[in-house]
């Protein structure tokens, strides 16, 4: 296959466990990819990633992509049609006037801003989650932290990397909506709320936060310094156009064709969150529901849960160790495949087990800290199928609780797409998600590429939109021949999940006591 690099588009996403680059063709088909595995760490009491590893991971995943392009197509990757950067949303990255980071990166995973989030929610009459940048900023002010006086600007991880590559301090509206509330009519920060914050804190957030752009806007070009930042070999050429940097929520919506009203998606991996594009704003403020936007600025109801598959992965590693001890096939993907298949044999309410998978706090159910807990009833047998099913149910439990609030609000969903690690074996993942929200769930073949694929599409949209709205571009151009599968809810399985969720919620005191004791 002869490759025309100038008609290819590159998306790079900094996820919570993996940095990944995906190159797509002019037909929006993935051509090559590269990845780098990383993990967060506790630093001075905050979950964080180092900026040195941001640079190392970017270069490593790009080098792997570059190598694959050379091996598969015999072409040296020197340019492309457009590039886009995305990353896990929210968190806190404050810089001084010289571009020096004033604190270690405080990620979305931290639950240390409860006081600020509560006060700002009351001030704005608009839910401000703990992980939002404005909550981190105000909490730092309430804590009287020394660095506040030196802040010149704030940004997100995607905004930081984009600035390093282009010299432009801008942000896509979807990612910006995790920094401060957005006025969807104007596709900009909500001025009335900004005025209220200025009176409260004597800081004009419009002067310290990035300029807001929507999908399709020109967001700068790769500089000579930026090209060397990605590719120290010097092969990548400057001048490549960039899409507005986005958050992983926006790229997930794009990768699953879920930016139209009454569509939604669920991203499930280290964390789990749902995004539902609204026809109208919710009637009340709900602390469990974030109001963010699509990459083009439409309002979105988001249920974001900090914990998903991390705890289960730890137990699967134990099973892998046992398999190795017995001399069996310890390939991790094969173990997951067998376990996902086995759990379908379990009781519909997960039998003897109730599991709290909380590595960190889970504000959706009112927890500011977490401790993994397994509870087993002695009057029911302990079976592997129920154990794995309970882990998967627990990964969905907080999300299902939040989604039930949207149902009570009368929010209509015509289509819900699933993507991420939970759907590595789509039948089981889609079946359990469908049971948990009592709605049809779709999975796309390309959804396995996830956020970086969505970011590559947004990069292509900057060049190829030709005046089309993003939702029309996705329907008419990108996903017109998409292949996937649909899973409809089954009444008995819906009832089984409800029974599990009921005892999960009723037993939260067990989790709270574990947090207190351990």
């Amino acid at each position: 296959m002869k490759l025309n690099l100038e008609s290819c588009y590159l998306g790079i996403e900094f996820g919570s466990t993996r940095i990944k680059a995906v190159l797509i063709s002019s037909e929006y088909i993935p051509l090559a990819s590269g990845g780098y595995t990383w993990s967060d760490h506790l630093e001075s009491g905050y979950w964080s990633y180092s900026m040195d590893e941001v640079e190392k991971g970017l270069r490593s995943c790009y080098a792997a992509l570059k190598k694959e392009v050379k091996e598969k197509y015999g072409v040296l990757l020197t340019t492309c049609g457009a590039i886009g950067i995305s990353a896990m949303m929210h968190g806190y990255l404050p810089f001084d006037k010289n571009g020096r980071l004033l604190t270690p990166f405080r990620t979305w995973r931290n639950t240390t801003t409860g006081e600020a989030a509560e006060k700002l929610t009351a001030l704005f009459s608009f839910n401000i989650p703990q992980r939002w940048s404005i909550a981190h900023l105000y909490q730092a002010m309430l804590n009287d932290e020394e660095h506040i006086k030196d802040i010149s600007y704030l940004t997100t991880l995607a905004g930081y990397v984009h600035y390093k590559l282009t010299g432009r301090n801008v942000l896509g509206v979807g990612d910006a909506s995790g920094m401060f509330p957005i006025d969807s009519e104007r596709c900009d920060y909500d001025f009335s709320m900004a005025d209220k914050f200025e009176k409260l804190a004597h800081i004009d957030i419009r002067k310290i936060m990035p300029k807001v752009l929507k999908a399709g806007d020109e967001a700068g070009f790769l500089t000579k310094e930026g090209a060397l930042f990605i590719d120290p070999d010097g092969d990548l050429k400057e001048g490549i156009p960039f899409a507005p940097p986005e958050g992983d929520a926006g790229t997930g919506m794009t990768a699953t064709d879920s930016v139209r009203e009454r569509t939604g998606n669920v991203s499930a991996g280290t964390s789990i969150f749902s995004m539902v594009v609204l026809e109208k704003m919710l009637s009340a403020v709900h602390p469990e529901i974030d109001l963010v936007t699509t990459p083009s600025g439409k309002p979105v109801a988001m249920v974001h849960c900090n914990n998903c598959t991390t705890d289960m992965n730890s137990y699967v590693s134990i099973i892998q160790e046992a398999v190795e001890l017995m001399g069996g096939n310890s390939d991790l993907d094969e173990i997951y495949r067998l376990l996902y298949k086995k759990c379908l044999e379990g009781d519909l309410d997960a039998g003897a087990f109730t599991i709290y998978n909380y590595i960190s706090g889970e504000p959706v159910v009112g927890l500011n800290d977490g401790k993994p807990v397994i509870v087993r009833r002695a009057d029911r047998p302990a079976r592997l199928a129920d154990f794995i099913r309970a882990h998967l149910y627990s990964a969905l439990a907080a999300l299902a609780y939040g989604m039930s609030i949207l149902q009570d609000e009368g929010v209509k969903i015509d289509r819900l797409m699933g993507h991420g690690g939970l759907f590595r074996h789509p039948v089981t993942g889609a079946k359990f998600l469908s049971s948990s929200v009592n709605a049809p769930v779709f999975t796309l073949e390309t959804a396995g590429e996830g956020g970086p694929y969505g970011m590559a599409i947004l990069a292509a949209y900057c060049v190829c939109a030709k005046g089309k709205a993003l939702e029309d571009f996705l329907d008419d151009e990108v996903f017109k021949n998409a292949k996937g599968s649909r899973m409809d809810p089954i009444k008995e399985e819906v009832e089984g999940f409800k029974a599990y969720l009921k005892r999960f919620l009723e037993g939260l005191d067990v989790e709270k006591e574990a947090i207190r004791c351990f």
Side-chain angles (χ1 to χ4, degrees):
M1 175 183 176
K2 188 176 180 180
L3 203 60
N4 178 7
L5 292 175
E6 292 186 352
S7 63
C8 297
Y9 306 96
L10 175 61
I12 302 173
E13 182 159 287
F14 292 76
S16 55
T17 59
R18 190 169 171 80
I19 304 170
K20 188 173 182 181
V22 171
L23 188 72
I24 65 172
S25 70
S26 56
E27 288 77 36
Y28 316 107
I29 298 170
L31 298 171
S33 64
Y36 175 83
T37 299
W38 69 342
S39 62
D40 55 2
H41 62 275
L42 278 170
E43 185 170 345
S44 302
Y46 294 94
W47 291 103
S48 185
Y49 298 83
S50 75
M51 294 299 102
D52 288 342
E53 195 168 17
V54 169
E55 180 177 346
K56 178 183 176 182
L58 173 63
R59 290 179 172 181
S60 180
C61 79
Y62 180 81
L65 170 76
K66 181 180 173 183
K67 180 181 178 183
E68 185 172 324
V69 169
K70 182 67 174 177
E71 290 175 348
K72 289 177 69 173
Y73 306 103
V75 175
L76 181 63
L77 187 55
T78 59
T79 190
C80 61
I83 301 175
I85 301 295
S86 59
M88 52 189 129
M89 291 175 68
H90 320 308
Y92 188 59
L93 282 166
F95 295 85
D96 68 12
K97 63 182 180 181
N98 297 315
R100 180 175 64 95
L101 183 61
L102 296 172
T103 72
F105 174 32
R106 298 175 183 177
T107 76
W108 56 270
R109 195 170 208 171
N110 291 289
T111 51
T112 55
T113 63
E115 181 185 2
E118 183 178 349
K119 289 182 176 180
L120 292 176
T121 296
L123 177 69
F124 297 151
S125 297
F126 184 99
N127 183 40
I128 302 296
Q130 288 200 47
R131 65 188 175 279
W132 279 25
S133 303
I134 191 63
H136 280 280
L137 172 63
Y138 189 47
Q139 188 66 54
M141 296 179 72
L142 293 174
N143 296 344
D144 198 25
E145 296 187 34
E146 179 68 19
H147 75 273
I148 291 294
K149 62 181 175 53
D150 297 320
I151 293 175
S152 176
Y153 65 94
L154 302 177
T155 190
T156 65
L157 181 55
Y160 166 77
V161 176
H162 182 91
Y163 178 78
K164 295 289 286 187
L165 302 179
T166 68
R168 293 279 302 277
N169 187 20
V170 298
L171 205 59
V173 63
D175 203 9
S177 69
M179 295 192 78
F180 193 85
I182 291 291
D183 178 347
S184 287
E185 293 296 320
R186 298 177 55 259
C187 276
D188 202 350
Y189 303 115
D190 188 296
F191 284 0
S192 66
M193 296 186 197
D195 289 342
K196 289 179 180 179
F197 186 76
E198 186 174 3
K199 289 180 181 178
L200 173 72
H202 309 294
I203 291 179
D204 185 351
I205 58 90
R206 289 161 290 196
K207 292 182 179 179
I208 66 170
M209 289 188 177
K211 179 182 178 182
V212 178
L213 301 176
K214 63 180 184 298
D217 287 347
E218 181 266 305
F221 299 85
L222 184 65
T223 63
K224 181 178 180 180
E225 296 78 12
L228 289 172
F229 191 79
I230 299 178
D231 185 11
D233 294 339
D235 296 321
L236 188 62
K237 297 177 182 178
E238 62 183 293
I240 300 169
F242 267 70
E246 264 299 346
D248 51 0
T251 57
M253 283 187 274
T254 303
T256 55
D257 192 15
S258 304
V259 301
R260 192 180 294 279
E261 293 173 353
R262 295 175 61 134
T263 67
N265 78 94
V266 172
S267 174
T270 303
S271 63
I272 183 169
F273 56 84
S274 62
M275 310 284 293
V276 178
V277 186
L278 301 173
E279 296 177 279
K280 59 181 181 180
M281 295 298 285
L282 302 180
S283 63
V285 176
H286 301 281
E288 303 86 356
I289 309 295
D290 306 357
L291 291 173
V292 292
T293 78
T294 69
S296 53
K298 290 188 175 182
V300 172
M302 180 183 193
V303 180
H304 186 286
C305 307
N306 289 346
N307 301 272
C308 187
T309 59
T310 300
D311 187 46
M312 183 182 74
N313 294 342
S314 299
Y315 287 99
V316 174
S317 295
I318 293 173
I319 293 171
Q320 181 187 34
E321 186 177 348
V323 171
E324 289 175 348
L325 186 64
M326 294 183 289
N329 178 7
S330 61
D331 178 74
L332 198 56
D333 283 340
E334 178 64 7
I335 290 172
Y336 272 108
R337 187 188 69 80
L338 291 172
L339 291 175
Y340 270 55
K341 182 179 178 181
K342 180 66 177 178
C343 74
L344 295 176
E345 301 173 11
D347 290 344
L348 297 182
D349 67 348
F353 296 100
T354 304
I355 294 175
Y356 297 92
N357 62 324
Y358 295 146
I359 300 292
S360 60
E362 194 57 81
V364 170
V365 291
L367 298 174
N368 286 329
D369 198 358
K371 289 291 185 297
V373 172
I374 296 174
V375 180
R376 184 177 75 83
R377 288 177 52 173
D379 61 341
R380 298 179 74 170
R383 302 187 304 169
L384 178 62
D386 293 328
F387 183 68
I388 299 301
R389 182 181 282 255
H391 268 293
L392 291 170
Y393 276 9
S394 73
L396 294 164
L399 181 85
Y401 173 69
M403 289 287 283
S404 69
I405 296 170
L406 294 183
Q407 293 170 353
D408 293 342
E409 276 269 4
V411 173
K412 304 297 183 185
I413 306 174
D414 295 334
R415 187 178 69 207
L416 192 63
M417 293 285 189
H419 62 109
L422 187 71
F423 305 98
R424 66 172 69 206
H425 302 292
V427 171
T428 303
K431 179 184 284 289
F432 288 176
L433 176 60
S434 178
S435 299
S436 70
V437 297
N438 195 20
V441 171
F442 295 78
T443 52
L444 294 172
E445 289 183 358
T446 52
E449 297 292 350
Y453 174 68
M455 193 65 243
I457 293 171
L458 289 173
Y461 180 66
C462 284
V463 178
C464 308
K466 298 178 182 177
K468 280 192 173 184
L470 179 59
E471 56 268 34
D472 294 330
F473 175 75
L474 295 179
D475 284 347
D476 299 343
E477 305 292 336
V478 180
F479 294 103
K480 60 182 178 181
N481 297 315
K483 296 180 181 179
S485 59
R486 169 177 173 145
M487 184 69 66
D488 289 302
I490 298 171
K491 181 180 178 181
E492 293 78 12
E493 295 185 356
V494 171
E495 294 303 316
F497 185 88
K498 281 183 179 179
Y500 180 87
L501 182 61
K502 182 175 184 292
R503 70 174 189 262
F504 180 95
L505 295 174
E506 289 175 347
L508 278 171
D509 284 344
V510 174
E511 170 68 13
K512 293 174 183 177
E513 191 67 9
I515 293 169
R516 188 187 70 81
C517 292
F518 300 102

